[in-house]
Amino acid sequence: MSKDVKAREANLDKALEELQKQGVNEHTLRAVEHIPARAGRYREYPEDVSPVLEKAYKDKGIERIYTHQYRSWELLRDKKNIVVVTPTASGKTLCYNLPVLDAIIKDPSARSIYLFPTKALSQDQQAELDSTIQKLPNEIRIFTYDGDTPQDARKAIRARGHIVITNPDMLHTGILPHHTKWIKLFENLKYVVIDELHNYRGIFGSHLANILRRLKRIAQFYGASPQFILCTATIANPVEMAEKTVEEPVALVDDNGAPSGEKTFIFYNPPVVNKFLGIRRSYIKESRRLAALFIQNFLQTIVFARSRLITEVLVTYLKEDFEKNVPQEGLIRGYRGGYLPLKRREIEKKLREGKILGVVSTNALELGIDIGSLDVAVLVGYPGTIASTWQRVGRAGRKTGKAAAVLVASSSPLDQFMVNHPDYFFSKSPEKALINPDNLSILVSHVECAAFELPFVDDEKFGNIAISDILDFLEDEKLVHHSQDKWYWTSDAYPADGVNLRSISSDNFIVVDTTDKHQAIAEVDFSSALTTLHPKAIYICEGEQYFVESLDFEQRRAYVKKTDIDYFTDAIDYTKIKILTEFDKRNLKYCSISHGEVHVATQVVGFKKIKFHTMENVGAGDLSLPQNEMHTVSYWLTIPATLLQELDYTSEQKINGLFGLAYCLHHVSPLFMMCDLHDIGVSLGDNATGKSIPPRDLPQRIPEREDFVFHADEAFEPNIFIYDNFPGGIGLTPSLFSLEAELLLQCLKTIRECPCQSGCPSCVGPTKASGQLAKDVALDILTNLL
């Protein structure tokens, strides 16, 4: 073991000892899990691998391959599609590079497409492949084809590239619509590699499945039928997810043969500072303190924050802690979507070189980008899924040697459930990844793209879907024309340009800094823009604060100016929900649950000013932005009017309890779905009148406030809605319907076990927000329902 490694391990032991000592004194450690080092399991190279390729890998120091890499080879040789499910840094890359390079050496006309969700990953893979190809006598040409590829290089790539590395966006807009320029690629397409499959869940995954329907249709037109190689982090349903994505049978490779270093994983719950209100010390400030403890011991640390805002707040704090006393700048950096590509490449490179000591990132660094081997991962709040948590933890100690990870729980019910039930976390298989390729909005947009690429024949299916109704609709819209049993695209429009793969609508706002000269500093999607770029908001980018002067809806631009103040802003919105169709309903013992289609209208009506460090509310403002409307799918719980009347509380206290219960349901339901809290919305309504109930912190001057008078009459029958926060829905909340009473049981457990007296952020929401007796009422409602 080198001197440097020994010193680092000694520093890590020292930091962990200090953390554990503090934890014992303050009762903050909920679990300390030692994950032992694991030896690798190996096989010799398969006999039918090209000898020059075997020699090239041995020259790189890979003398033997892992058992899962060998198994992948066997299945692909038998002409099967495969999905490889192993942890971070377990050599998934070789599972596809070995067969792909071997195929090209044996048949130089063979072609492959590699798909990665981000440009950063594509560049990483290009570097990995280049290092192998330099050692081969054969000429194998590999090109990255993305938005940054110069126009003059594109022609050469189309004619000469053996392996085209790209991303779903470029395949969708730059390759499939121009397939006539890529004839060589499609005629000889042997493999399609899709890495980081778990990243393609929800909207993005539903789009990808449709892009692959288009890809297979074009390949078939040119006489090719490629095999699919998919790789994913650990999820509960890899085969189901893979088969839904490629619409073909897929074989599973999940017996991991790679070695791994020793790791200490700590569950940390910030101490309670006010027992009555159940208030804990701020998890952001505790994360700052823990990250600082590791960084001052010269341990390279990655801090994962759950949002762009928290990322920027933590970069600000850690820069204050370290860069003020050190002449060297750039020891602490932020990393997130919205940063310009060059800045992100520079941060990745400096991380690999060890020049950055601390990096605070959103989930952008969760994927397999090579940032070298870090010592510690600090997770600021539970990432929302078990799968995602293991991905982030895997960023520390990727090769061998000791490493540590600390999960710092926030006050949210989901975090508190996880941190107080570590056995649930360590024994549970990760969640299911869900996609819905047949979401009508998504499906129609890709049928348009497919019609542009090749005419449809009568009765032709798109994937497994009959689309004659969609083609009739497109003909009515004057987009396609039917002639002699074929459907031809007739519009001047270029349909792929109008489809944004990360959302169902394609409108993004550009953030323009007007401080000195006008320059674009970031890009924000439509729905986030309403809550983060409203007039008078404080927008934060790389630790810099900007005051939003105006939001231009026509041009999709937000104009901002640099500022330096001690607060940030948090938007208040009001959602009205209306049931359109009930798909299914089940009567449980004392209540009913349903799922169906709903109309959701959300409006940002005000904002709060939250002070840095103390997190106190220091002011508010009213806003009146346009309503954002959509049709989506929802789950709802209907509580019988009689049950509510029998409760011995005032009308206002009953409403408080309902808001508290809705808060808990919203926060606990991601336990059962692979989604983010923001992917689902929550709203409270009256089943009898169909009206929505405005939130308690709604500014008093809003007309809706006066509209809704809560009557304690016999008819009031509350509905609690949990809905997919995307137009058309992507199949998240219907999965709650199949749980029946399980969801309510977990909520009961969460509220009952919470140590606070009258409600807190960990159960029914803070007392100030949820109101008087919210916890007692919510508990009584749940106890009666179950």
Side-chain angles (χ1 to χ4, degrees), residues 23-34:
V24 170
N25 294 341
E26 297 181 330
H27 308 291
T28 50
L29 302 188
R30 309 303 302 165
V32 178
E33 189 80 10
H34 290 286

Side-chain angles (χ1 to χ4, degrees), residues 274-293:
N274 179 327
K275 235 183 175 129
F276 181 74
L277 295 175
I279 294 172
R280 296 181 177 277
R281 216 182 278 159
S282 157
Y283 78 108
I284 296 174
K285 288 161 102 176
E286 287 296 276
S287 301
R288 167 199 189 170
R289 194 173 64 77
L290 296 174
L293 170 68

